[in-house]
């Protein structure tokens, strides 16, 4: 087709003409938009117009001679009137019915429309428009917009031709001779040094390659690094000569070559100006592909194979989002978030130390985890019937309440913290517990694992100003959560979420060692506390190297945090206590069982004494706390008098019965932050909730029944199965049941290899519960191989039975199950454990619910430890498996608190 070429004087527009001709098109004329002040006298206006988003304006004074005399075709020009008014990436024009409308949009693109309209009038056979756009979507879409309005075909044969080095080499080999007329890439290109220098000298001299390596310089100048003026090329009939030039340098390092005089001269073979050009040669994309294959920038097959060995090794599986469990009221848990890939040490140079390499790879995993969590948060479906509003995320990192962060090595803690802080922010962040579980024990040899608790809309809820107007909800709140948040703003009795985040060093309690809060409270009833270690608050240093001293200080710090929330350790529901493995594991790789008894005694002592903190004295709440409703009586004195008439000491009851039996899981693992050897992780009720709902502990007897009792003469009728169906089957029947005589062999019962027990602490009836189920060998000397699914089913059954019988909660209320297991660094059991746990949950849920309803399985996390114990103690030796259950119905808790507390106040 016949085409007109848009020219700016530079290499791209003229090389595009050459490629159009090579593709069989016929050049009719050239078109050019000259700067609006080219002939003007207003220096200030001229300076402003030099900055154009779309056109090259440098050396535009040479274009009439360059096109009409050197190229030998007509030139159609129009002075540019408009500016870059619409700077969006995609241009959307506005048609005007009245063309004489003085208020029409003054955009330089409309000047292009007028210019090409003039071309069509003068050359009606023109069908196409040539442009030199390489990577500029901004330029390409505007030319396409104008061409579409005029019925012209845009020809952009240079568009996305690359690599840029290959494209520039093709230009130079095909005879494009150009000089730099503008530079804008300080400190790379210097105006007085590089302006008026030929493009070939600079490229082949290696300057562009050096700038590319150091500053990511665009070889073809597509980042605006430089602009050129073509002096000669194979389609020129004459050569352009610059006879009088001036270098103008700005304060910002940008320089322009001002051409005062130029003229065209004939080309002669003897001076090398007549360059042959094969119009019928290979097309540009064919040449670039060939050159790229030979270039050192494009790796060969062997390079790719070698690089693959040094790069990240992806796990050969589908990458999926982690499991999410959602409870009514918008409480959710995202479990076991892992990087989909495991970085390999071979990808780093030998000069890096092994510690640095491991830390960098841990950071890579952490960044991947944050990306996965962000994607997961956006896709949470809060209710079965609630659809997401388009372009509105269901949750954000600000809605995360608590984070468990598990590392392979605590030395990665500092490096990951920076990225953790960037993701969650430093204002009202979630609480966090961070521990190191050891190398090669996380799934697949990973270095980082995370799970988190989320409360829908809580991030926006906490950031609403006191003067918030409900009429502005649609504008200031996310569409998917606006109604939910507004409902809780109107609730005067219970806060959806509140955060305690103290960052000042004081004598009160330690500031957090990282970007997280001391505590987060949900619905004014449940407190999720950050892990507390044995730091002295005033110095932020460990109080001692002794684990026992650190443990007492950890409890004291926890008590201080609760005191700031008008609570105390008597409000604790349950705790996980971490002790460094070096304190528990002996040099011969056996553990010290008596240490767990010492640990338990310290914990019970601290619970009874409230960590040696007198609660409520700072806020003057000591008396008023006891004026709350106790046992349904109107005040504390009446409660104490009535209980005394029954020979019950209220003080002793409060201390011993309510606190001394709180469930504790004590585990040992390699490391904790800042070299600590003890850490306490607590979930508590608020003082408001515990005073009106009460906290109770349920600890049924071991799941293994006493078959010597006459009441068990028909175990099948009591819910226990025959020998072939025993859930905790360990590869053989375990219990010998004689079906003919309908009795069970007592000897086999006493020798059963595994014993399962559970304990729960619950707030009120049907409100919230935290508990543990543990499996231990009956004999420390005989440890047989076990069938995981059977053990898991029995542990789940033990826990669920306790829930349903005593707490008013059921399986639909189970939010999260955290499985602790004794790990072996030489054998990765995590994947087998996860698979078996998921299978057991599915079997159990189907058996309990059948097809009556569709329920989400709880979120699950698998945590490797080196030894553990449950308190109050149930068995010896220590468990090899333990499950922590988080169970809640916080909507019901709010209702119960209103009935027993707020309605009376």
């Amino acid at each position: 087709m016949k085409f007109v070429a848009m020219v700016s004087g530079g290499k791209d527009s003229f090389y595009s003409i050459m490629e159009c001709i090579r593709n069989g098109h016929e050049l009719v004329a050239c078109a050019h938009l000259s700067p609006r002040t080219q002939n003007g006298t207003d220096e200030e206006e001229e300076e402003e117009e030099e900055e154009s988003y779309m056109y090259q304006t440098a050396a535009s004074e040479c274009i009439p001679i360059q096109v009409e005399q050197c190229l030998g075709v007509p030139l159609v020009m129009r002075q540019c009137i408009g500016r870059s008014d619409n700077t969006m990436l995609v241009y959307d024009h506005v048609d005007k019915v009245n063309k004489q409308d003085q208020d029409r949009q003054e955009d330089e693109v409309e000047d292009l429309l007028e210019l090409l309209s003039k071309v069509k009038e003068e050359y009606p056979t023109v069908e196409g428009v040539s442009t030199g756009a390489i990577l500029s979507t901004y330029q390409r879409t505007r030319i396409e917009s104008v061409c579409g309005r005029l019925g012209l075909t845009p020809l952009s044969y240079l568009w996305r031709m690359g690599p840029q080095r290959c494209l520039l080499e093709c230009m130079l080999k095909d005879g494009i001779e150009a000089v730099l007329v503008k530079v804008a890439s300080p400190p790379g290109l210097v105006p007085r040094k590089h302006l008026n220098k030929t493009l070939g000298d600079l490229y082949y001299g290696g300057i562009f390659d050096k700038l590319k390596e150091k500053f990511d310089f665009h070889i073809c100048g597509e980042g605006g690094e430089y602009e050129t003026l073509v002096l000669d090329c194979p389609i020129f009939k004459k050569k352009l000569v610059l006879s009088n030039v001036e270098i103008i340098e700005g304060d910002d390092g940008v320089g322009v070559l001002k051409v005062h005089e130029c003229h065209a001269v004939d080309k002669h073979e003897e001076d090398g100006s007549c360059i042959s050009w094969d119009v019928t040669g290979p097309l540009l994309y064919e040449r670039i592909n060939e050159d790229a294959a030979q270039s050192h920038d494009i790796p060969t097959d062997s390079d790719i194979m070698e690089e693959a060995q040094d790069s990240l090794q992806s796990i050969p599986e589908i990458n999926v989002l982690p499991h999410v469990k959602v409870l009514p009221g918008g409480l959710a848990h995202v479990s076991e978030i892992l990087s989909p890939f495991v970085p390999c040490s071979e990808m780093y140079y030998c000069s890096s130390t092994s510690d640095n390499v491991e830390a960098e790879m841990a950071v890579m995993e952490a960044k991947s985890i944050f990306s996965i969590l962000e994607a997961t948060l956006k896709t949470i479906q809060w209710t079965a019937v609630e659809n997401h509003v388009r372009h509105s995320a269901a949750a954000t990192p600000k809605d995360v309440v608590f984070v468990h962060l598990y590392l392979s090595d605590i030395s990665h803690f500092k490096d990951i913290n920076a990225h953790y802080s960037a993701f969650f922010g430093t204002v009202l962040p979630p609480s966090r517990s961070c521990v190191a579980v050891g190398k090669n024990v996380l799934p697949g040899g990973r270095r980082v694992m995370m799970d988190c608790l989320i409360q829908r809309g809580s991030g926006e809820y906490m950031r609403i100003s006191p003067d918030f107007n409900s009429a502005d909800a649609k504008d200031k709140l996310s569409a998917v959560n606006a109604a939910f948040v507004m409902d809780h703003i109107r609730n005067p009795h219970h806060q959806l979420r509140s955060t305690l985040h103290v960052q000042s060093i004081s004598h009160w309690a330690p500031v957090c060692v990282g970007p997280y809060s001391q505590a987060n409270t949900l619905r004014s009833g449940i407190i999720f506390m950050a892990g507390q270690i044995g730091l002295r608050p005033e110095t932020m240093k460990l109080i001692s190297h002794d684990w026992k001293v650190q443990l007492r200080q950890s409890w004291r710090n926890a008590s201080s945090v609760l005191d700031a929330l008008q609570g105390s350790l008597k409000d604790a529901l349950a705790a996980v206590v971490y002790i460094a493995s070096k304190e528990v594991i002996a040099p011969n790789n056996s553990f010290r069982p008596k240490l767990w008894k010492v640990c338990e005694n310290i914990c019970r002592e601290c619970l009874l004494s409230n960590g040696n903190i007198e609660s409520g004295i700072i806020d003057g709440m000591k008396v008023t706390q006891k004026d709350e409703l106790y046992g349904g009586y109107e005040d504390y004195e009446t409660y104490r008098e009535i209980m005394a008439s029954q020979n019950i000491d209220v003080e002793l009851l409060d201390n011993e019965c309510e606190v001394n039996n709180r469930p504790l899981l004590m585990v040992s693992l390699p490391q904790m932050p800042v070299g600590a050897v003890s850490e306490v992780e607590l979930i508590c009720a608020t003082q408001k909730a515990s005073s009106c709902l009460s906290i109770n502990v349920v600890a049924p007897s071991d799941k293994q029944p006493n078959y010597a009792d006459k009441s068990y003469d028909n175990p099948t009728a009591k819910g226990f199965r025959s020998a072939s169906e025993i859930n905790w089957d360990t590869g053989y029947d375990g219990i010998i049941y004689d079906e003919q005589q309908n009795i069970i062999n007592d000897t086999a019962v006493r020798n059963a290899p595994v014993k399962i027990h559970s304990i729960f602490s619950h707030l009120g009836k049907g409100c919230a519960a935290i508990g543990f189920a543990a499996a231990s060998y009956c004999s420390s000397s005989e440890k047989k191989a076990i069938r995981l699914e059977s053990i898991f089913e029995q542990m789940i059954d033990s826990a669920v039975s306790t829930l349903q019988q005593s707490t008013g909660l059921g399986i639909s209320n189970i939010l999260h199950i955290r499985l602790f297991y004794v790990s072996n660094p030489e054998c990765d059991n995590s994947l087998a454990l996860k698979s078996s746990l998921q299978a057991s949950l599915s079997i159990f849920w189907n058996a309990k619910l059948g097809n009556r309803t569709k329920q989400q399985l709880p979120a699950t996390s698998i945590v490797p430890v080196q030894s553990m114990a449950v308190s109050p103690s149930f068995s010896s030796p220590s468990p090899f498996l333990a499950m922590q259950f988080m169970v809640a119905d916080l909507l019901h808790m709010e209702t119960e608190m209103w009935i027993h507390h707020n309605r009376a106040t």
Side-chain angles (χ1 to χ4, degrees):
M1 69 176 69
K2 293 182 178 180
F3 73 96
V4 62
M6 292 297 304
V7 294
S8 60
K11 59 179 176 39
D12 300 338
S13 56
F14 282 101
Y15 194 63
S16 180
I17 296 174
M18 294 172 61
E19 194 61 22
C20 286
I21 294 172
R22 198 195 301 268
N23 280 272
H25 304 298
E26 180 184 346
L27 178 64
V28 173
C30 289
H32 173 68
L33 274 175
S34 62
R36 60 182 298 187
T37 58
Q38 183 174 353
N39 301 320
T41 58
D42 190 338
E43 293 182 1
E44 182 179 352
E45 195 171 274
E46 178 181 358
E47 198 173 289
E48 180 183 355
E49 286 304 315
E50 284 297 322
E51 298 297 331
S52 172
Y53 283 77
M54 187 170 174
Y55 309 117
Q56 171 182 323
T57 57
S60 59
E61 57 270 20
C62 301
I63 288 179
I65 296 176
Q66 185 188 44
V67 172
E68 295 177 335
Q69 297 184 36
C70 296
L71 185 59
V73 298
L75 175 66
V76 181
M77 291 184 61
R78 172 183 169 83
Q79 190 176 38
C80 190
I81 298 174
R83 296 181 171 88
S84 301
D85 183 70
N86 181 351
T87 57
M88 295 181 65
L89 192 62
V90 177
Y91 182 77
D92 186 13
H93 73 279
V94 180
D95 289 324
K96 297 293 184 180
V97 176
N98 183 6
K99 296 293 184 181
Q100 303 301 320
D101 187 354
Q102 297 301 314
D103 295 329
R104 74 177 182 88
Q105 183 178 352
E106 291 188 358
D107 193 285
E108 58 186 356
V109 179
E110 301 306 310
D111 291 314
L112 175 61
L113 178 70
E114 299 294 337
L115 173 62
L116 291 180
S117 297
K118 183 179 179 182
V119 169
K120 287 194 67 175
E121 291 177 4
E122 296 183 10
Y123 304 96
T125 59
V126 166
E127 300 176 67
V129 178
S130 167
T131 70
I134 298 176
L135 292 177
S136 175
T137 299
Y138 182 93
Q139 180 185 12
R140 176 185 57 79
T141 56
R142 280 155 174 73
I143 292 173
E144 289 173 351
S145 173
V146 171
C147 288
R149 293 155 69 183
L150 295 176
L152 297 171
T153 300
L155 303 173
S156 302
Y157 286 107
L158 305 189
W159 177 250
R160 298 197 64 81
M161 283 289 96
Q164 289 192 38
R165 177 181 284 105
C166 296
L167 177 59
L168 184 57
E169 286 183 356
C170 286
M171 293 182 183
L172 296 174
K173 290 176 182 178
D174 280 342
I176 293 289
E177 181 183 333
V179 294
L180 270 60
V181 291
K182 182 178 181 180
V183 294
S185 57
L189 295 176
V190 181
R192 296 194 175 276
K193 184 177 181 180
H194 297 119
L195 284 176
N196 206 25
K197 293 294 188 293
T198 67
L199 190 61
D201 288 344
L202 294 175
Y203 174 72
Y204 290 117
I207 293 176
F208 286 0
D209 284 329
K210 292 178 181 178
L211 295 179
K212 167 70 174 174
E213 181 179 352
K214 192 170 184 179
F215 302 111
D216 203 20
F217 179 91
H218 287 252
I219 299 293
C220 286
E222 283 300 288
E225 293 87 346
Y226 66 88
E227 294 176 359
T228 60
L229 178 68
V230 174
L231 303 182
D232 194 12
C233 71
I235 58 175
F236 274 16
K237 296 178 174 60
K238 291 187 177 183
K239 183 177 181 178
L240 183 66
V241 175
L242 308 181
S243 51
N244 185 3
V245 299
E246 177 188 2
I247 294 177
I248 301 175
E249 185 173 3
D251 295 335
D252 55 358
V254 176
V256 176
L257 185 71
K258 181 69 175 178
V259 180
H260 296 292
E261 294 181 15
C262 64
H263 58 278
V265 298
D266 294 331
K267 300 166 70 172
H268 303 284
E269 291 186 6
E270 55 269 19
D271 61 9
S273 58
C274 293
I275 302 174
S276 61
W277 176 57
D278 186 5
V279 180
T280 62
L283 298 178
L284 179 60
Y285 78 91
E286 296 173 343
R287 296 176 57 198
I288 286 183
N289 288 341
E290 181 180 354
D291 291 346
Q294 299 174 357
S295 170
H296 57 82
D297 283 343
I298 306 300
T300 63
D301 290 345
S302 60
D303 292 333
I304 294 174
M305 292 302 296
E306 183 177 351
E307 181 182 352
Q309 295 177 358
D310 296 333
S311 63
L312 302 180
Q313 294 182 357
S314 298
I315 298 174
E317 61 181 18
I318 299 174
N319 293 330
V320 296
L321 296 177
H323 179 60
V324 181
K325 169 70 174 183
V326 179
L327 293 181
L331 185 65
H333 199 285
V334 183
S335 62
E336 208 168 48
I337 314 169
L338 296 163
S339 170
F341 60 86
V342 183
C344 299
S345 59
E346 287 78 9
M347 66 179 293
Y348 290 90
Y349 297 108
C350 296
S351 57
S352 299
T353 65
S354 59
D355 290 342
N356 290 340
V357 169
E358 283 294 310
E360 290 177 31
M361 291 188 289
V363 168
M364 292 174 66
E365 289 187 30
K367 291 167 69 175
S368 176
I369 285 173
F370 297 142
S371 297
I372 292 171
L373 176 57
E374 185 173 27
T376 304
L377 292 173
K378 291 178 180 178
T379 59
I380 294 176
Q381 187 171 355
W382 292 117
T383 67
V385 297
E386 185 177 55
N387 294 321
H388 287 174
V389 179
R390 186 173 178 84
H391 305 307
S392 182
T396 71
K398 293 181 176 62
D399 297 319
V400 177
V401 175
F402 188 91
V403 172
H404 279 120
L405 185 63
Y406 305 99
L407 306 177
S408 63
D409 194 297
I410 205 65
S411 63
H412 306 156
F413 181 77
K414 182 178 179 181
D415 297 285
I416 291 175
N417 255 344
H419 301 279
Y420 182 100
S421 177
F423 181 77
F424 287 108
T426 57
V427 179
L428 305 177
S431 304
R432 184 178 79 182
S433 173
C434 178
V435 292
V437 295
K439 297 180 180 180
N440 301 319
V441 294
L442 289 175
R446 289 173 174 82
R447 301 164 184 83
V448 185
M449 184 177 75
M450 190 170 80
D451 60 47
C452 60
L453 181 71
I454 301 151
Q455 174 57 59
R456 177 185 186 181
S458 62
E460 291 178 305
Y461 174 89
M462 292 193 299
R463 289 163 175 81
I464 291 177
S465 60
D467 58 348
F468 179 78
N469 188 342
S470 59
D472 300 330
K474 290 184 178 180
D475 297 328
K476 296 185 178 180
L477 300 176
S478 63
V480 72
N481 291 320
F484 180 87
V485 174
M486 286 306 303
D487 286 343
H488 287 84
I489 292 173
R490 299 186 187 102
N491 184 344
H493 301 295
H494 305 115
Q495 291 182 301
L496 178 63
R497 177 183 168 190
S498 60
T499 296
L500 179 64
H501 187 205
V502 180
Q503 302 177 73
S504 301
I505 294 179
S506 66
H507 291 283
W508 164 69
V511 297
C512 292
V513 187
Y516 55 94
S517 298
Q518 280 92 351
N520 272 264
T521 304
L522 293 184
R523 299 182 183 271
S524 301
I526 297 292
I527 303 172
F528 296 89
M529 294 182 59
Q532 296 294 324
I533 57 178
L535 293 172
R536 293 180 64 94
E538 63 274 14
T539 63
M540 287 301 293
K541 294 181 179 179
L542 293 171
I543 189 171
S544 168
H545 296 295
D546 189 327
W547 71 270
K548 297 183 290 295
V549 178
Q550 285 191 30
L551 181 58
R552 288 189 172 90
Q553 184 66 35
S554 298
W555 282 104
R556 180 183 178 87
N557 292 338
S559 178
S560 295
V561 172
L562 288 170
D563 189 57
L565 298 172
Q566 301 181 5
S568 66
L569 290 177
K570 76 178 182 64
D571 304 318
L573 287 171
V576 177
V577 179
Y578 302 102
I579 303 295
S581 299
K582 66 179 182 179
E583 307 294 339
V584 182
I585 307 299
N588 61 354
N589 205 31
S590 59
F591 79 99
R592 303 180 177 95
K594 290 185 178 179
L595 180 138
W596 291 132
K597 191 60 182 177
V598 174
C599 179
E600 179 185 23
N601 290 339
I602 292 174
C603 293
R604 297 298 172 196
E605 171 193 324
C606 291
L607 282 167
L608 285 171
S609 66
N610 194 41
N612 289 324
I613 296 290
E614 190 172 0
S615 64
I617 192 170
I618 296 175
D619 297 310
M621 297 293 294
K622 182 167 181 169
V623 175
T624 58
Q625 282 180 4
K626 293 199 174 184
D627 287 338
E628 297 286 355
L629 301 181
Y630 281 87
Y633 298 101
E634 59 184 0
D635 56 38
Y636 178 75
E637 294 302 325
T638 303
Y639 170 56
R640 186 173 62 176
E641 180 179 345
I642 296 298
M643 298 302 288
S645 66
Q646 303 176 32
N647 297 319
I648 298 176
D649 188 333
V650 171
E651 297 291 344
L652 184 63
L653 181 68
D654 287 344
N655 286 336
E656 294 186 358
C657 295
E658 294 187 5
V659 179
N660 206 33
N661 59 353
R662 295 292 192 268
L664 303 176
L665 175 64
M666 302 170 287
V667 301
S668 67
L669 36 73
Q671 298 166 311
M672 280 151 274
V674 301
V677 291
S678 300
E679 181 173 346
V680 175
E681 177 188 312
L682 275 169
I683 299 177
C684 303
T686 61
Q687 192 276 333
K688 176 180 178 180
S690 66
S691 65
C692 66
L693 299 182
S694 75
I695 299 173
N696 297 289
V697 175
V698 181
S701 60
D702 294 352
K703 186 65 182 177
Q704 177 182 315
N706 180 8
Y707 292 108
D709 192 330
K710 298 292 185 181
S711 62
Y712 286 97
D713 58 350
N714 189 352
T716 305
K718 294 291 184 180
F720 298 100
R721 302 170 178 86
S722 62
S724 60
E725 299 175 313
I726 293 297
N727 273 341
W728 40 267
D729 184 1
T730 61
Y732 59 91
D733 288 338
I735 296 179
I736 302 174
Y737 178 64
D738 189 335
E739 296 188 13
Q740 293 180 348
Q741 299 183 24
N742 201 27
I743 60 171
I744 291 181
N745 187 304
D746 294 341
T747 304
V749 171
R750 289 191 294 272
N751 294 331
V754 175
K755 183 165 58 176
I756 294 167
H757 52 269
S758 61
I759 180 171
F760 272 85
S761 174
H762 65 98
L763 174 67
K765 195 74 172 179
C767 298
I770 306 294
F772 304 105
S776 56
Y777 291 107
C778 293
S779 171
S780 60
S781 60
E782 186 178 10
K783 298 178 181 179
K784 298 181 181 295
I786 59 174
R787 183 180 296 169
L788 282 173
E789 289 86 349
S790 296
I791 297 295
F792 287 155
E793 286 177 40
Q794 194 71 1
M795 293 174 72
I796 296 167
D797 183 52
S798 173
V800 171
S801 297
T802 303
L803 283 173
Q804 293 176 331
Q805 294 171 12
S806 307
T807 70
L809 296 161
I811 62 174
S812 61
N813 305 118
I814 300 176
L815 178 67
H816 180 224
I817 299 176
R818 189 161 50 146
L819 174 65
F820 297 85
Y821 74 99
V822 178
S823 65
N824 181 358
E826 298 179 359
C827 180
D828 183 4
N829 291 319
S830 57
L831 296 179
L833 287 163
K834 181 175 182 179
S835 175
S836 297
L837 179 58
Q838 290 296 322
S840 301
L841 286 170
S842 298
I843 293 171
F844 191 87
W845 254 241
N846 289 334
K848 285 287 184 179
L849 298 175
N851 296 323
R852 291 177 297 160
T853 182
K854 182 179 180 181
Q855 290 282 348
Q856 283 182 319
L857 294 179
T860 57
S861 303
I862 314 295
V863 183
V865 298
Q866 295 185 328
S867 67
M868 56 184 154
V870 176
S871 172
S873 299
F874 285 94
S875 63
S876 179
S878 296
F880 59 90
L881 291 172
M883 293 181 182
Q884 181 188 32
F885 290 79
M886 184 186 298
V887 194
D889 186 346
L890 298 190
L891 292 179
H892 181 68
M893 180 191 72
E894 273 193 328
T895 302
E896 288 291 305
M897 288 174 64
W898 184 84
I899 292 172
H900 295 286
H901 183 278
N902 296 107
R903 188 175 62 172
T905 57

